[in-house]
Each structure stands twice: as structure tokens, then as C-alpha cells.
Amino acid sequence: MSINFPLLLVLAVLISGVLVLLDLLVLAPRRRAAVSAYEGSVGQPDQSVVDRLNKEPLLVEYGKSFFPVLAIVLVLRSFLVEPFQIPSGSMKPTLEVGDFILVNKFAYGIRLPVLDTKVIEVGEPQRGDVMVFRYPSDPSINYIKRVVGLPGDHIRYGSDKRLFVNGAPIPEQLLGKASGVLGSAVLYREQLGDVEHLIRKETRRNAEPSREWVVPEGHYFMMGDNRDNSNDSRYWSDPQIADEMQGMVPDENIVGKAFAVWMSWPEPKLQNLPNFARVGLIH
């Protein structure tokens, strides 16, 4: 069962806020009136009675304690920064399984929590950005990939595993070998837009036929840096989506721009502690 955390957070803020407001407008005046009436009816008020009459209900205490904390978390998570953990190796070598990353929610516009409606334009995704988004076929799942195609771009991925954007090959420089799923892989330094980053390709995986796509307006073409082990725009298919939209990420599915790794914990177990060796900015 998928839990809608943003909705639960909004409801928690709403309920705690209502309790705070109820106490401010109704319950607190009643308590003060009760204390005043008691003090006026006796010559020497008993402090224990005054304290009892002035005591806040337990729910109000909880509401007043949690409201500011929950409100701050809601603002930070909805409009500024949200943490995520990398669950797969599709973005190797840029991101490893177990990396904890920070995502800038402000980079691509301010959106309302839960509704995800953009209310203020701030910026647009750029080619080479590492972006978190909701999977088009199941928006309850968050994906992270690199922006390869912008609206209007013509994308081709050749049988030689070379990437072309608008007819031009994306520059890549061979760096050397790395361990791979099928025995060995090769690392390249790729220049995608203004971003220089690493990609990896399996040397023993059969090449696929060349394919081409045209990115519609308001959509983006996404690929993983682990080119032969990434479920991305090259492969997504949904019978409920028009052919020209297959594999594309619509603007309304964007969550934000991944910008930093702040911790790594590949195996969350007591004997395997988190480490900070990979802390740094994401390129």
C-alpha cells in the first residue's frame, strides 16, 4: 500500500493548527473566565485549583507542541528541500544504491503541496540536470534520471550506444573499465549541455536497434547514467498514453532538481553504519 506522505503531513498541520486556533479563540478564554470566577468567589484561592482550572486539554497541548514543527517541515519539504534515498543502480556511477540525496523543490517553480500545481514560475529543467519526478505510469513512485531531451528536441540512441540530440552526437570520452553486471563495463565522461558527468555502458550487452523520439511541448526525455541498466524514457510504455507521449515526463510530474549527496547507507543494518565518504554536489 502506497502512503501519501504529503497529504498526511498537510492533514497533520491542519488538525494541529485547528486545535491551536480553537484554544486561542474558545478554550483559553473559557479557562481564564473560570479562574476569574473562582478567585472572585473565595477569599484565598487555592493554587492547585487555579492550576487545574487553567490546565490545557491534552489534545491542545499536543497540537500546540506539534504545530510549529510540522508547519516548518511542511514548508521546507514542499517548497525548498526534500530528502530522498537512491533505491537502484540506474544512475551509477553518479549515484550509488543507498545514497541519501537532497532535492531542490524551488528550482523548477513553486508548487502547491498535494495538488502539485505550479503557482510561481522560477526556472525550467536544463539538459544535463539530475531530476526527481513521478513515474508517468504510476505517479505514486518517484524516479530519478538525467534530463536528456527538452521540449522540441529530436533524440536518437544509436545501435552503437551513442546518444544524439538534434542530430549532433553528445561528446563522450573513454575513461576505462569498471565492474559490470555481465562481467565488465566501461566508463565515459559525457558532456550533456553545460554538465560534464560520468556514464557507464556494459561491454557484453548486445546493442539494440537505433531508435528516435521527438520530445513534445511540456515534456522531458530522461535517461539513467547507467545506460544499459536503467528503466527510463527509452523503454516506458503505457497503453493509456498517446504514442507521441510514450516515455516522456510531463512538467506536472516534476518533483525537483537533485543537487547533493549528504549521506550513504547501502545496507541499513546495525552492523553497517551510514558513511559520509560520498558527500558532495551532484553533477
Side-chain angles (χ1 to χ4, degrees):
M1 182 178 65
S2 178
I3 298 176
N4 191 333
F5 181 75
L7 178 58
L8 292 178
L9 183 58
V10 169
L11 289 176
V13 171
L14 179 63
I15 292 171
S16 59
V18 167
L19 289 172
V20 171
L21 191 62
L22 177 65
D23 185 64
L24 179 66
L25 298 179
V26 179
L27 301 181
R30 286 182 180 177
R31 292 197 301 272
R32 289 195 294 269
V35 170
S36 179
Y38 167 70
E39 291 177 338
S41 65
V42 296
Q44 185 66 35
D46 186 333
Q47 187 59 42
S48 63
V49 175
V50 173
D51 292 341
R52 180 169 53 82
L53 293 174
N54 207 32
K55 183 175 176 59
E56 296 174 341
L58 186 60
L59 283 178
V60 170
E61 287 186 15
Y62 282 136
K64 293 176 77 171
S65 298
F66 287 122
F67 176 72
V69 176
L70 292 172
I72 291 173
V73 171
L74 177 63
V75 170
L76 290 176
R77 188 183 185 279
S78 300
F79 304 116
L80 297 177
V81 176
E82 183 175 358
F84 288 90
Q85 185 182 19
I86 302 301
S88 74
S90 69
M91 283 296 291
K92 287 184 175 181
T94 304
L95 297 171
E96 299 285 346
V97 176
D99 281 351
F100 285 78
I101 64 170
L102 296 176
V103 174
N104 184 344
K105 304 291 289 289
F106 185 79
Y108 303 138
I110 296 177
R111 299 172 185 265
L112 295 176
V114 181
L115 299 177
D116 290 315
T117 302
K118 187 184 292 186
V119 292
I120 299 178
E121 293 282 351
V122 176
E124 300 293 337
Q126 301 299 309
R127 191 176 292 111
D129 286 357
V130 176
M131 189 169 79
V132 174
F133 55 93
R134 295 187 305 280
Y135 181 39
S137 297
D138 185 356
S140 66
I141 302 174
N142 289 314
Y143 269 45
I144 182 167
K145 307 290 179 186
R146 194 175 295 275
V147 179
V148 169
L150 305 176
D153 280 350
H154 183 279
I155 307 297
R156 180 162 71 90
Y157 196 69
S159 57
D160 59 353
K161 301 184 181 181
R162 288 299 305 274
L163 173 64
F164 293 76
V165 177
N166 297 325
I170 297 301
E172 59 180 35
Q173 176 187 357
L174 178 63
L175 296 180
K177 294 183 178 180
S179 60
V181 174
L182 301 178
S184 64
V186 179
L187 294 179
Y188 293 85
R189 179 178 289 111
E190 182 179 77
Q191 183 75 39
L192 191 57
D194 295 330
V195 179
E196 187 178 78
H197 62 102
L198 301 181
I199 61 172
R200 71 194 297 276
K201 302 177 185 180
E202 298 283 347
T203 57
R204 297 184 183 179
R205 177 156 294 179
N206 294 331
E208 301 176 1
S210 296
R211 296 179 63 193
E212 300 184 17
W213 303 264
V214 176
V215 186
E217 285 299 316
H219 290 72
Y220 299 89
F221 190 90
M222 313 297 297
M223 290 178 65
D225 290 347
N226 194 356
R227 292 290 161 81
D228 292 314
N229 294 287
S230 173
N231 179 24
D232 52 38
S233 289
R234 295 169 293 172
Y235 308 111
W236 296 332
S237 179
D238 189 335
Q240 298 181 353
I241 298 176
D243 289 343
E244 64 272 16
M245 305 296 183
Q246 293 291 336
M248 307 298 167
V249 175
D251 180 79
E252 58 265 25
N253 282 41
I254 293 175
V255 174
K257 179 181 179 180
F259 69 92
V261 175
W262 63 276
M263 185 181 76
S264 294
W265 200 0
E267 297 182 42
K269 299 177 182 178
L270 290 178
Q271 63 268 32
N272 297 320
L273 297 178
N275 68 82
F276 302 92
R278 291 181 43 77
V279 170
L281 298 179
I282 297 172
H283 300 288

